[in-house]
Amino acid sequence: MVQSSPTVDTPDFALPGLFCARLRNLAKCAGAGLLASDRWVAYDGDLRRPIISSALFGDLAEVFPQGLQSGPAFLLISPIPTIDENRPLWLVLWDTRPRDQISSHILLARVIELVGQSAMAGRRVAEGRRQNLLERASATARIGIWSCTLPDERLTWTNGVYDIFELPRGSQVDRGTSLRMYAPESARQMQALRAEAIATCGDFNFDAEIITAKDNHRWMRITATVDGVEGKARRIFGMKQNITEEKRMVERTRILSETDALTGLANRGLFNARLEDLHGQQSGAPVGALILIDLDNFKSINDTFGHSHGDTCLIKAGERLRQCAPVGALVARIGGDEFAIVTDGCQHVDIERLSTDIVSAFERPIQLGTHQHHVGASLGIAIRVAQDADTLYRDADIALYSAKSAGRGTWRVFNAA
């Protein structure tokens, strides 16, 4: 549905068209606009602006990843904090294609953050309006605004910050007390960024891990800006936002993308990444050895008893490999009945004993219902010396072929000689 050209008046944000353009580019949406009740204040992009029911204009931001009936395929609505309570304002983003739940809610968090940042910009423009505007922003977007005078380090928090730290609202808090609630590494990084911002009268953004007064682990996004006079910092202020759920969602997505859905082991993608990280620049642990494992009699089980039986067999095989693997090793399913173990080069691993343990583990039959299945495992091992990832894999594969040729149920180590 298409609305007629809007009557444009002046919103509480300076240059509303640029604000909408920034939001639209951030979201990669077809259109973005500012809506006051039934009047479009400003817009950018697709001129086919959606007609939105007044029932959707609430106090909290909402996202509709699959859109609404007879409306756009994707819709996001977020209230904008304003000075005039009788003139509420909403940000609307719409697109011609639906989106998945995870990316939609991550976008929602980003939009709320940008709304908060725009509210902070309003502080600098009008000192008299600042406190009211930011308090409303805090209540609407569930964020907190903080300020710290320099050099006396006197803190001022809105209720939103107290809530993030799970401290009583309005209680006396000094900077030392709040800093002790940061995880050590987060505290170190935040202190370094803060010192640089104060020295340069600059700003910074940082995601910090904290442990609240009630011993809950949370993630908090900090946005900080330094005010100064003639190059000397007088105050640092900004926004704190609870992003714990966003972090958890991203972590769950990462785990799903790296995990074999059937066995719960690492998948081929994570295995390849670990193998490419030969020197441990990403993981912090260099590759020690690569062990390739093939199940010897799996195909006959799959063909005779069906895929359900076969899947259960693979799950139990993965459990046995995980039990045998040394600390720090990556255990992965890299194909149908193909597995791999990548050992940590920083740990001493007795490869002969490990290989013997794995072969012995698979000599025990796997019980599936009333049936016992003798699967067996063949192993090919390559010790990393100076090979690249492809060569290391090739060496282990050659050793695996040798183990199979020797009658299966055994192991071989690649020998370049």
Side-chain angles (χ1 to χ4, degrees):
M1 289 184 280
V2 180
Q3 258 188 339
S4 59
S5 298
T7 302
V8 179
D9 54 6
T10 304
D12 290 283
F13 291 100
L15 302 176
L18 292 178
F19 178 77
C20 292
R22 182 182 179 191
L23 262 297
R24 188 176 69 82
N25 289 332
L26 169 72
K28 294 181 172 59
C29 280
L34 294 176
L35 189 61
S37 298
D38 59 347
R39 173 179 297 185
W40 288 94
V41 174
Y43 57 90
D44 182 81
D46 191 349
L47 298 182
R48 295 169 296 177
R49 297 174 297 286
I51 297 176
I52 301 171
S53 168
S54 59
L56 298 179
F57 297 152
D59 294 330
L60 297 177
E62 291 195 49
V63 63
F64 303 90
Q66 305 300 315
L68 298 171
Q69 188 175 7
S70 301
F74 170 85
L75 183 67
L76 185 151
I77 304 173
S78 175
I80 299 288
T82 62
I83 295 297
D84 185 359
E85 294 186 2
N86 296 318
R87 185 175 172 274
L89 199 65
W90 287 269
L91 166 70
V92 182
L93 292 170
W94 66 92
D95 206 353
T96 56
R97 54 189 173 82
R99 304 195 178 190
D100 62 77
Q101 289 282 345
I102 292 176
S103 63
S104 296
H105 283 87
I106 290 176
L107 173 60
L108 179 64
R110 299 295 189 199
V111 167
I112 290 174
E113 178 186 5
L114 190 54
V115 166
Q117 289 175 344
S118 298
M120 285 198 297
R123 293 180 60 155
R124 299 187 179 193
V125 176
E127 182 69 22
R129 302 169 60 188
R130 179 179 58 201
Q131 192 60 40
N132 192 331
L133 180 63
L134 293 181
E135 287 291 348
R136 286 175 59 79
S138 176
T140 301
R142 296 182 180 180
I143 61 176
I145 306 302
W146 60 275
S147 175
C148 182
T149 58
L150 301 170
D152 60 351
E153 304 278 17
R154 183 166 53 86
L155 289 177
T156 301
W157 286 358
T158 64
N159 289 338
V161 180
Y162 284 105
D163 293 345
I164 291 173
F165 283 93
E166 294 190 310
L167 289 166
R169 291 182 174 183
S171 59
Q172 292 294 320
V173 181
D174 59 46
R175 187 163 180 276
T177 300
S178 67
L179 193 59
R180 285 191 291 273
M181 300 173 77
Y182 285 72
E185 181 59 20
S186 286
R188 185 192 67 78
Q189 294 183 46
M190 188 274 290
Q191 288 281 69
L193 290 169
R194 184 180 188 270
E196 181 181 359
I198 291 173
T200 60
C201 285
D203 52 35
F204 70 89
N205 295 281
F206 179 63
D207 291 352
E209 183 182 6
I210 63 170
I211 301 173
T212 73
K214 296 182 179 180
D215 289 328
N216 291 315
H217 286 257
R218 284 182 174 172
W219 281 92
M220 175 178 66
R221 179 160 295 142
I222 304 171
T223 303
T225 300
V226 175
D227 270 346
V229 178
E230 295 181 352
K232 186 174 183 179
R234 297 296 186 185
R235 179 175 66 116
I236 181 169
F237 70 95
M239 175 181 69
K240 287 181 168 69
Q241 180 185 9
N242 185 349
I243 59 166
T244 305
E245 285 306 312
E246 178 186 338
K247 284 284 188 179
R248 287 174 179 167
M249 188 176 293
V250 170
E251 179 63 13
R252 285 195 294 268
T253 304
R254 183 193 65 79
I255 291 172
L256 287 173
S257 70
E258 296 178 348
T259 303
D260 176 59
L262 178 64
T263 63
L265 301 177
N267 61 15
R268 183 70 186 239
L270 183 56
F271 166 75
N272 288 339
R274 179 71 181 93
L275 204 60
E276 289 292 339
D277 187 29
L278 284 173
H279 303 287
Q281 293 175 331
Q282 302 298 322
S283 64
V287 172
L290 170 61
I291 305 173
L292 297 181
I293 305 109
D294 261 9
L295 303 186
D296 291 335
N297 301 311
F298 174 74
K299 187 176 186 302
S300 62
I301 295 171
N302 219 27
D303 292 344
T304 304
F305 297 95
H307 289 289
S308 178
H309 233 57
D311 287 349
T312 306
C313 182
L314 290 172
I315 293 170
K316 291 184 177 294
E319 292 171 353
R320 292 189 181 185
L321 289 174
R322 189 185 282 115
Q323 291 167 359
C324 292
V327 175
L330 176 79
V331 184
R333 180 186 175 211
I334 59 175
D337 62 343
E338 302 172 41
F339 297 83
I341 296 176
V342 182
T343 67
D344 181 350
C346 293
Q347 305 287 336
H348 172 71
V349 178
D350 187 333
I351 292 296
E352 182 174 343
R353 180 174 179 178
L354 172 59
S355 303
T356 301
D357 287 346
I358 294 173
V359 170
S360 298
F362 281 89
E363 288 174 351
R364 303 193 313 269
I366 294 178
Q367 187 76 37
L368 298 178
T370 60
H371 297 277
Q372 284 191 337
H373 300 287
H374 294 271
V375 179
S378 297
L379 281 62
I381 302 107
I383 310 298
R384 186 180 73 87
V385 182
Q387 312 99 309
D388 59 21
D390 289 340
T391 304
L392 185 67
Y393 186 91
R394 184 203 64 193
D395 293 347
D397 196 45
I398 291 172
L400 177 61
Y401 180 80
S402 178
K404 289 180 177 180
S405 300
R408 303 175 183 272
T410 187
W411 54 274
R412 292 289 186 270
V413 177
F414 177 80
N415 187 342

